[in-house]
């Protein structure tokens, strides 16, 4: 190497290449070019020549040594240089991504200049223009190619027309469309060639024929030309600056770039003298290549190369359209099948029965010969399948292998050799699993299809080893070599998987519809007594209120006295049995004008329509007499009493009527129980008390009368702490502790809920910060929020400000809302903003409101808290357990977390865990406690190292 300034140096790659390392060959920096042009590379913006090919004197009349290190104007002249390097009004060089220009050099000879700016360098490829006459016809001929391809009706016809038209345009002996498979192997899918040549159509070629780095370059440079396989590479010379070696030149985008010697040898072995290769790129992936072969040396003109480059882009676009159209046509056809199958679900009311009735569509949907259906505890085989036991074993094994919603194998025997014996009916398998239901799904089968795959030469002998030198070179034989493919089915295509996804969506919609129907029916019926429940009762009241011919009505509320003592003494099963007996006795009074319902717990209600006050009073007396007769509890007589509250329609609308009866019933309990009271005697007192409470509420916030208590939320699996729910209490100076149910509605009516809500958020955040620092772990705090807070325009900003003030991760704060709040559009928008900010959103008391699972799926929530009414009876009622199990399963299917409320016994805790519920809260774990008590709770539950487990 010379160290004299300006002395040239040969930068050809000295990488020793044979087939043992060709996949690592740096083909983008060969350091040499093909001899049909000259390459000049200058720096930007100084325009000093840094690299030049050694053959510059043949075209430019100047040696490489006289060009290197000098301005580009020295070798091209200022006129040509001004055409090649464009400048703006300030004299600054304008960037050129890629541009072509044809200019005469000094002797008048026309040259084609290929100009590109890349990585601070100007690349200039210069080539003589041999003939312009043929080039002038290129636009018209290219248009004919495009018109011919537009007439193609599908992908196969398009590729066949493209190969034929491209051969007509370029006059190469052979034009092939070479498609890459997923494994990198190539397949000739269309061809047009001279009649004297052996066809390559439908031949396969191993991935090693076009290694990965070559495929990568085809993505970057769409056209490659090799004029003559016997060419002698022209070295690239570099300008040397003392003390440094010139780096290899990246020639990725150079048309003149030398070919890999391995590739040249490969072409010689095929009997090819010249090639033109065009990339087919679909969705930024190398779909395939147009490969043009010629038996003699051939140099396409720059204009023809440019036309071919443009055509390859147009054909790639048309190819994408054809692929999408074929896929769309097939997909639409299969969607019609899915619709037929879905109609079968609806007709039969069952997934298993519906699929069985639509057997032909189920199999044709994915081109299967048989299928195993597993739904609703039923296992059914359709078409040609292995024995049922074998089917179930295969499904179990595939579930263990699968990590995705779909799983397919073209060769079951290769993945699981023990199933080779099933090859006749089950060489290919496609599994569709159902999220959240591990025992349900469909397993399709395809039989073995023994195929003969033709290869262009033996792929097992893709190389030749020289006995003397040991050098590994490409195979010399390209005779058709046939391979027998066994133990494989026809491959599962993307359109098959899309059809499975479409069917799965239809299944999910049907399951959701069934669940909605079940929940709708169940949400109107008390699962223990089979009486109408609170929701049904309130609907009846609402229906009555909306009638134009409003008739007199009354509500009788019946609450069993000291019912809790029965559960404590005899257990919940005995308590449930007593409730059922009470329901039967009260059912005697059900006539056309009476609706009996269980509102929850030990409370029943009657809605009496069209009755006079005297008739209602008569029913009240008869109820007391009916309940006076002893019941049977644990085989022994047991006397139960009840307190009754009565309210008549003169006391207001549906909500006021029920509230009035409730007020009267509780007064009856406070007055000694086992009696009835009519709301008529209490109207003035109740109104006065409510007004006084409202006025006291204004003073309470200023007087620091509110307190927060915290109820732990635990992980059922190990009793570790997940977090707390913050609950507000009002310590009234005269009335003592006022429960939230008595003052929150008033706060919402008066607007005081906004400042009270802000106080709750701040206090809860302050407590959470303190505990988190003490624990060194992460806790979650749940805060109840009312509708007026959510629709307040600055609620999200305030919550964000609080989280920043106390350095809390928004994920540590979960906002709890009731189902009724979710029905307000503005509130839902706020919840969506909260979720986007990172805060959690929980649905509180789920199952008691009017939201549906389908609606819940669309809402910005991540956690559902199941109301205590669904938990209360699970220990003694199989119906309650089954219903709760279904609810938990459906909620988890929607991807939502679940917390059960109101857990009061160990049996409830264990049953909830077995039903799939992982978190809970309730008196069994802890009653709500003040902040200081929380400190003691954390200390009492800390481990031996003073640390508390956070779930």
């Amino acid at each position: 190497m010379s160290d004299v300034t300006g002395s040239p140096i040969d930068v050809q790659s000295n990488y020793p290449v044979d087939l043992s390392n060709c996949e690592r060959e740096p083909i983008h920096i060969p350091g040499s070019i093909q001899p049909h042009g000259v390459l000049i590379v200058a720096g930007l913006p100084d325009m000093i020549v840094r690299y030049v090919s050694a053959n510059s004197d043949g075209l430019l009349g100047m040696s490489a040594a006289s060009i290197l290190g000098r301005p580009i104007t020295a070798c091209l002249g200022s006129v040509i240089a001004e055409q090649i390097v464009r400048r703006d009004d300030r004299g600054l060089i304008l960037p050129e991504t890629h541009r072509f220009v044809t200019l005469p050099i000094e002797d008048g000879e026309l040259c084609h200049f290929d100009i590109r700016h890349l990585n601070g360098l100007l690349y200039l490829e210069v080539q003589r223009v041999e003939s312009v006459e043929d080039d002038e016809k290129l636009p018209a001929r290219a248009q004919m190619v495009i018109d011919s391809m537009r007439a193609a009706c599908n992908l196969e016809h398009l590729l066949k027309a493209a190969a034929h038209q491209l051969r007509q345009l370029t006059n190469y002996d052979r034009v092939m469309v070479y498609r890459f498979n997923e494994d990198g192997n190539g397949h000739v899918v269309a061809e047009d060639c001279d009649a004297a040549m052996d066809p390559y159509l439908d031949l396969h070629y191993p991935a090693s024929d076009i290694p990965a780095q070559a495929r990568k370059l085809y993505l970057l440079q769409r056209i490659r030309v090799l004029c003559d396989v016997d060419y002698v590479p022209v070295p690239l010379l570099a300008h040397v600056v003392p003390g440094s070696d010139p780096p290899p030149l990246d020639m990725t985008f150079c048309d003149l770039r030398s070919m890999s010697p391995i590739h040249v040898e490969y072409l010689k072995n095929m009997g090819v003298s010249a090639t033109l290769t065009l990339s087919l790129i679909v969705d930024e992936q190398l779909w395939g290549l147009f490969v043009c072969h010629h038996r003699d040396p051939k140099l396409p003109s720059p204009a023809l190369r440019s036309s071919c480059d443009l055509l390859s882009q147009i054909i790639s676009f048309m190819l994408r359209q054809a692929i999408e159209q074929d896929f769309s046509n097939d997909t639409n056809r299969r969607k019609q099948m899915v619709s037929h199958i879905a109609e079968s679900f609806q007709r039969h009311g069952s997934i298993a029965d519906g699929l069985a009735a639509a057997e032909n569509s189920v199999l044709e949907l994915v081109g299967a010969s048989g299928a195993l259906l597993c739904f609703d505890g039923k296992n059914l085989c359709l078409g040609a399948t292995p024995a049922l036991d074998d089917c179930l074993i295969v499904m179990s094994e595939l579930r263990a292998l699968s990590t995705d919603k779909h799983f397919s194998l073209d060769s079951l025997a290769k993945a699981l050799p023990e199933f080779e014996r099933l090859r006749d009916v089950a060489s290919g398998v496609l599994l569709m699993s159902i999220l959240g239901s591990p025992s349900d799904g469909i397993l399709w089968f395809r039989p073995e299809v023994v195929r003969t795959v033709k290869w262009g030469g033996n792929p097992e002998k893709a190389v030749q080893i020289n006995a003397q030198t040991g050098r590994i070179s490409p195979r010399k034989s390209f005779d058709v070599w046939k391979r027998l493919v066994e133990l494989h089915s026809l491959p599962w295509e993307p359109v098959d998987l899309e059809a499975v996804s479409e069917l799965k969506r239809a299944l999910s919609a049907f399951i959701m519809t069934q669940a909605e129907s079940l929940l709708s029916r169940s949400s109107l019926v008390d699962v223990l007594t089979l009486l109408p429940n609170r929701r049904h009762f309130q609907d009846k009241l609402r229906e009555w209120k909306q009638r134009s011919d409003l008739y007199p009505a009354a509500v009788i509320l019946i609450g069993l006295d000291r019912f809790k003592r029965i559960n404590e003494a005899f257990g919940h099963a005995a308590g449930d049995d007593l409730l059922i007996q009470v329901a039967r006795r009260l059912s005697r009074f059900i006539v056309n004008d009476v609706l009996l319902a269980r509102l929850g717990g030990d409370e029943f209600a009657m809605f009496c329509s069209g009755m006079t006050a005297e008739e209602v009073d008569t029913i009240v007396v008869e109820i007391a007499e009916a309940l006076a007769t002893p019941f049977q509890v644990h085989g022994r007589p047991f006397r139960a009493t009840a307190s009754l509250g009565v309210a008549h329609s003169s006391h207001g609308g549906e909500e006021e009527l029920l509230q009035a009866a409730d007020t009267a019933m509780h007064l009856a309990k406070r007055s000694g129980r086992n009696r009835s009271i009519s709301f008529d005697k209490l109207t003035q007192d109740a109104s006065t008390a409510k007004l006084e409470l409202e006025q006291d509420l204004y003073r309470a916030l200023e007087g620091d009368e509110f307190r927060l208590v915290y109820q732990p939320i635990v992980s059922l699996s190990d009793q570790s702490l997940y977090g707390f729910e913050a609950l507000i209490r009002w310590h009234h100076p005269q009335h003592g502790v006022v429960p939230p149910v008595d003052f929150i509605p008033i706060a919402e009516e008066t607007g005081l809920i906004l400042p009270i809500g802000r106080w709750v958020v701040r206090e809860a955040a302050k407590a959470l910060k303190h505990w988190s620092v003490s624990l060194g772990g992460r806790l979650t705090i749940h805060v109840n929020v009312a509708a007026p807070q959510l629709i307040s325009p600055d609620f999200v900003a305030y919550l964000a400000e609080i989280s920043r003030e106390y350095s809390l991760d928004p994920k540590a704060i979960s906002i709890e809302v009731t189902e009724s709040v979710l029905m307000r559009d503005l509130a839902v928008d706020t919840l969506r903003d909260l979720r986007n900010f990172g805060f959690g959103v929980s649905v509180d008391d789920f199952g008691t409101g009017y939201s549906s699972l389908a609606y819940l799926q669309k809402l910005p929530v991540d956690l559902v808290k199941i109301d205590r009414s669904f938990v209360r009876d699970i220990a003694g009622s199989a119906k309650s357990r089954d219903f709760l199990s279904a609810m938990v399963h459906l909620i988890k299917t929607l991807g939502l977390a679940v917390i059960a409320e109101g857990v009061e016994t160990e049996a409830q805790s264990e049953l909830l865990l077995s039903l799939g519920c992982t978190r809970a809260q309730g008196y069994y774990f802890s009653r709500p406690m003040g902040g200081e008590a929380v400190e003691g709770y954390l200390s009492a539950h800390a481990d031996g190292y003073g640390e508390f487990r956070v779930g």
Side-chain angles (χ1 to χ4, degrees):
M1 179 185 299
S2 173
D3 60 359
V4 179
T5 301
S7 299
I9 182 174
D10 187 337
V11 293
Q12 287 188 97
S13 173
N14 294 319
Y15 191 82
V17 180
D18 65 18
L19 275 181
S20 65
N21 62 2
C22 69
E23 75 281 357
R24 299 187 301 275
E25 181 186 0
I27 56 177
H28 64 299
I29 52 171
S32 62
I33 66 168
Q34 299 178 55
H36 59 273
V38 172
L39 174 62
I40 303 172
V41 180
L44 290 173
D46 61 15
M47 303 304 296
I48 300 299
V49 177
R50 308 287 177 81
Y51 300 88
V52 67
S53 56
N55 61 344
S56 60
D57 54 351
L59 182 60
L60 303 177
M62 296 179 66
S63 68
S66 64
I67 294 174
L68 286 168
R70 300 178 64 191
I72 200 168
T73 53
C75 59
L76 298 179
S78 58
V79 175
I80 294 179
E82 288 175 1
Q83 296 290 322
I84 291 173
V85 181
R86 298 188 293 187
R87 300 176 183 270
D88 62 14
D89 295 339
R90 295 172 297 170
L92 299 178
I93 295 175
L94 296 172
E96 302 274 9
T97 303
H98 197 199
R99 181 166 61 97
F100 304 100
V101 63
T102 301
L103 298 169
I105 57 177
E106 290 186 359
D107 60 359
E109 186 177 18
L110 281 177
C111 286
H112 177 82
F113 293 83
D114 185 325
I115 307 161
R116 186 187 302 271
H117 293 187
L118 182 68
N119 298 328
L121 296 174
L122 164 66
Y123 287 76
L124 187 61
E125 296 181 77
V126 188
Q127 182 182 336
R128 287 188 178 90
V129 175
E130 303 293 343
S131 171
V132 296
E133 184 176 344
D134 290 339
D135 291 346
E136 292 173 352
K137 302 175 184 178
L138 282 175
R141 294 170 63 191
Q143 186 61 50
M144 291 176 59
V145 174
I146 296 171
D147 292 341
S148 174
M149 290 185 296
R150 281 177 177 163
C153 58
N154 57 33
L155 178 61
E156 181 182 356
H157 291 164
L158 172 66
L159 297 177
K160 186 175 181 180
H164 175 72
Q165 291 297 328
L166 194 60
R167 181 164 176 249
Q168 296 297 311
L169 180 69
T170 62
N171 291 318
Y172 276 76
D173 293 332
R174 184 197 307 271
V175 175
M176 299 175 287
V177 179
Y178 186 91
R179 179 176 183 176
F180 290 105
N181 299 329
E182 289 184 3
D183 54 10
N185 291 337
H187 180 202
V188 179
V189 294
E191 180 186 43
D192 192 272
C193 65
D194 186 280
M197 301 177 74
D198 292 332
Y200 289 171
L201 183 63
D202 202 34
L203 291 185
H204 293 71
Y205 293 86
S208 58
D209 281 4
I210 305 179
Q213 78 273 35
R215 294 196 294 271
K216 181 179 179 181
L217 283 187
Y218 281 126
L219 262 177
L220 299 173
Q221 188 185 30
R222 294 182 298 267
I223 183 168
R224 286 291 284 137
V225 174
L226 176 61
C227 304
D228 186 351
V229 293
D230 293 320
Y231 82 96
V232 177
V234 177
L236 191 64
L237 304 179
H239 175 60
V240 178
V241 176
S244 65
D245 289 336
L249 180 66
D250 185 351
M251 301 175 68
T252 296
F253 297 97
C254 294
D255 288 343
L256 294 172
R257 184 182 75 240
S258 271
M259 293 285 187
S260 163
I262 292 294
H263 180 62
V264 172
E265 186 175 355
Y266 177 91
L267 293 172
K268 289 180 178 179
N269 292 345
M270 293 184 75
V272 175
S273 292
T275 64
L276 170 66
T277 307
L278 307 173
S279 302
L280 292 172
I281 300 171
V282 177
D283 294 329
E284 299 182 359
Q285 300 293 319
L286 186 63
W287 184 90
L289 301 169
F290 277 115
V291 180
C292 307
H293 285 176
H294 208 63
R295 288 166 291 189
D296 299 311
K298 184 176 179 65
L299 174 60
S301 70
L304 178 59
R305 296 203 302 270
S306 297
S307 296
C308 289
D309 186 13
L310 178 61
L311 280 175
S312 75
Q313 296 177 63
I314 295 173
I315 295 171
S316 292
F317 176 74
M318 298 174 72
L319 176 62
R320 181 174 181 268
Q321 285 185 314
I323 292 172
E324 289 179 348
Q325 187 61 53
D326 284 359
F327 187 85
S328 176
N329 292 340
D330 202 355
T331 299
N332 290 336
R333 179 179 64 85
R334 299 191 195 214
K335 282 183 177 179
Q336 292 177 356
M337 295 183 198
V338 171
S339 297
H340 171 68
I341 297 170
E343 290 170 2
S344 187
F345 298 158
Q346 301 294 337
R347 285 196 305 272
H348 292 82
S350 159
I351 292 177
D353 294 341
L355 288 170
E359 175 177 346
N360 290 338
S361 294
V362 171
L363 298 180
E364 187 181 350
L365 181 67
V366 294
S369 57
L372 167 67
L373 312 179
C374 297
F375 288 98
D376 305 327
K378 299 178 182 178
N379 300 318
L380 179 65
C381 291
L382 304 181
T385 69
L388 177 59
D389 288 345
D390 283 332
C391 288
L392 293 173
I393 293 172
V394 171
M395 177 177 275
S396 176
E397 293 289 342
L398 294 179
R399 288 188 192 279
L401 291 177
S402 172
T403 57
D404 204 355
K405 55 186 178 180
H406 311 323
F407 185 70
S408 62
L409 292 172
D410 299 341
S411 179
L412 176 62
K414 285 199 171 183
L416 299 167
E418 63 269 28
F419 295 120
E420 182 177 339
R421 57 189 174 84
L422 307 177
R423 62 196 292 177
D424 290 342
V425 289
S427 274
V429 288
L430 172 57
L431 174 66
M432 181 190 76
S433 298
I434 303 297
L435 180 66
S437 183
S439 60
D440 290 350
I442 303 177
L443 178 61
W444 285 277
F445 300 99
R446 283 180 177 174
E448 177 186 36
V449 176
V450 179
R451 289 170 292 157
T452 300
V453 177
K454 296 185 295 182
W455 293 83
N458 186 349
E460 304 295 338
K461 295 183 178 179
V463 300
Q464 301 285 335
I465 302 177
N466 188 300
Q468 279 91 24
T469 65
R471 182 179 182 275
I472 304 175
S473 59
R475 64 185 182 277
K476 292 180 170 54
S477 172
F478 290 87
D479 293 338
V480 174
W481 189 88
K482 297 179 180 180
R483 170 186 281 171
L484 196 65
V485 179
E486 299 179 289
L487 297 177
H488 283 71
S489 70
L490 292 177
W492 304 99
E493 300 291 347
V495 72
D496 296 319
L497 303 183
E498 177 59 29
V500 172
S501 295
E502 190 69 26
L503 177 60
K504 191 169 184 177
R505 285 189 284 270
L507 285 169
S508 298
F510 179 74
I511 292 172
M512 196 63 67
T513 301
Q514 281 191 317
E516 289 295 336
S517 177
L518 173 63
L519 187 57
S520 177
R521 293 193 301 271
S522 301
S523 64
L524 297 176
V525 176
D526 175 60
V527 294
L528 179 64
T529 64
L530 301 183
L531 292 174
N533 62 10
R534 176 183 289 272
R535 178 177 177 180
H536 190 169
F537 192 80
Q538 290 176 323
D539 286 346
K540 182 66 176 179
L541 288 177
R542 192 174 293 106
E543 178 185 323
W544 161 76
K545 183 64 176 178
Q546 291 173 350
R547 288 177 63 97
S548 57
D549 55 337
L550 197 62
Y551 46 82
V555 169
I556 304 171
L557 206 58
I558 307 151
L560 299 182
D561 297 329
R562 299 184 179 91
F563 179 74
K564 185 177 180 181
R565 294 175 59 185
I566 299 172
N567 284 334
E568 292 173 349
F570 302 109
H572 287 274
D576 289 348
D577 185 48
L578 176 61
L579 291 171
I580 293 171
Q581 293 181 60
V582 170
R584 288 173 182 165
R585 289 199 189 176
L586 294 177
S587 297
R588 301 173 189 172
F589 303 99
I590 299 177
V591 293
N592 290 337
D593 297 327
V594 175
L595 172 68
L596 172 66
R598 181 190 175 204
L599 300 188
D602 57 16
E603 293 184 4
F604 297 83
M606 281 187 183
F607 177 68
C608 306
S609 59
M611 292 185 179
T612 64
E614 292 75 15
E615 290 173 324
V616 173
D617 290 342
T618 299
I619 291 178
V620 170
V621 172
E622 292 176 350
I623 289 173
E625 292 174 351
L627 296 179
T629 304
F631 296 92
Q632 291 290 316
V633 175
H634 270 272
R636 297 171 53 188
F638 182 87
R639 293 182 182 276
T641 61
S643 299
L644 283 70
V646 184
H648 293 274
S649 54
S650 58
H651 300 143
E654 70 274 15
E655 293 183 5
E656 292 85 355
L657 194 58
L658 187 57
Q659 181 63 43
D662 183 73
T663 301
M665 184 198 71
H666 282 90
L667 182 59
K669 286 183 177 289
R670 291 195 297 270
S671 301
R673 302 185 181 88
N674 193 23
R675 66 191 65 207
S676 64
I677 291 181
S678 173
F679 185 74
D680 288 342
K681 301 174 184 178
L682 306 171
T683 303
Q684 187 63 44
D685 291 343
S687 299
T688 301
K690 181 178 179 181
L691 183 60
E692 290 176 352
L693 199 64
E694 178 181 320
Q695 294 304 310
D696 291 345
L697 196 58
Y698 280 99
R699 187 196 68 246
L701 191 60
E702 298 175 359
D704 195 27
E705 295 176 11
F706 292 117
R707 299 288 185 274
L708 286 188
V709 294
Y710 305 90
Q711 185 170 41
I713 303 172
V714 303
S715 172
L716 289 175
S717 60
D718 59 1
Q719 306 293 301
S720 61
L721 181 64
Y722 164 72
F724 292 94
E725 179 179 2
L727 304 166
I728 190 171
R729 298 291 186 265
W730 180 10
H731 290 258
H732 193 285
Q734 285 81 40
H735 303 305
V737 178
V738 181
V741 69
D742 290 343
F743 70 85
I744 291 297
I746 298 175
E748 292 188 21
E749 290 176 13
T750 60
L752 285 172
I753 193 67
L754 296 179
I756 292 174
R758 283 176 173 251
W759 179 86
V760 169
V761 168
R762 178 174 291 278
E763 289 298 307
K766 186 191 302 181
L768 178 62
K769 177 64 175 179
H770 175 67
W771 299 330
S772 297
V773 171
S774 301
L775 287 176
R778 185 174 68 85
L779 290 173
T780 299
I781 194 79
H782 285 241
V783 180
N784 293 279
V785 173
Q789 294 173 262
L790 285 180
I791 61 177
S792 173
D794 61 348
F795 178 72
V796 177
Y798 179 73
L799 202 60
E801 176 188 336
I802 290 297
S803 68
R804 287 192 295 268
E805 180 179 342
Y806 291 101
S807 301
L808 294 174
D809 185 344
K811 294 179 182 177
I813 302 175
S814 184
I815 300 302
E816 291 195 10
V817 295
T818 60
E819 292 179 81
S820 60
V821 173
L822 295 174
M823 308 308 289
R824 303 190 181 194
D825 291 339
L826 287 176
V828 171
D829 291 341
T830 303
L831 293 177
R832 188 170 288 109
D833 292 340
L834 288 172
R835 281 288 303 279
N836 291 337
F837 202 91
F839 295 103
V841 177
S842 307
V843 181
D844 196 17
D845 301 332
F846 181 75
T848 61
Y850 293 89
S851 69
S852 67
L853 283 171
Y855 186 61
L856 191 63
Q857 188 178 20
K858 304 173 185 177
L859 294 172
V861 301
D862 46 48
L863 188 148
V864 174
K865 299 183 78 173
I866 296 177
D867 186 68
R868 64 184 66 247
S869 62
F870 295 100
V871 176
R872 182 184 299 115
D873 303 325
I874 62 170
S877 170
K879 291 181 180 178
S880 297
R881 286 195 299 275
D882 291 344
F883 181 73
L884 184 61
S885 175
M887 182 182 289
V888 170
H889 170 71
L890 289 169
I891 292 172
K892 293 175 73 174
T893 298
L894 297 178
L896 304 176
V898 183
I899 293 177
E901 299 180 299
V903 180
E904 298 184 355
T905 67
E906 181 180 5
Q908 290 174 338
S909 173
E910 293 176 350
L911 280 170
L912 284 167
L913 183 60
S914 69
L915 295 178
C917 185
T918 57
R919 296 172 186 157
Q921 65 185 98
Y923 286 0
Y924 172 66
F925 307 108
S926 173
R927 290 176 177 270
M929 64 190 94
E932 293 183 0
V934 170
E935 299 280 352
Y937 176 85
L938 296 176
S939 299
H941 290 75
D943 60 23
Y945 297 96
E947 295 182 354
F948 196 91
R949 287 184 302 159
V950 178

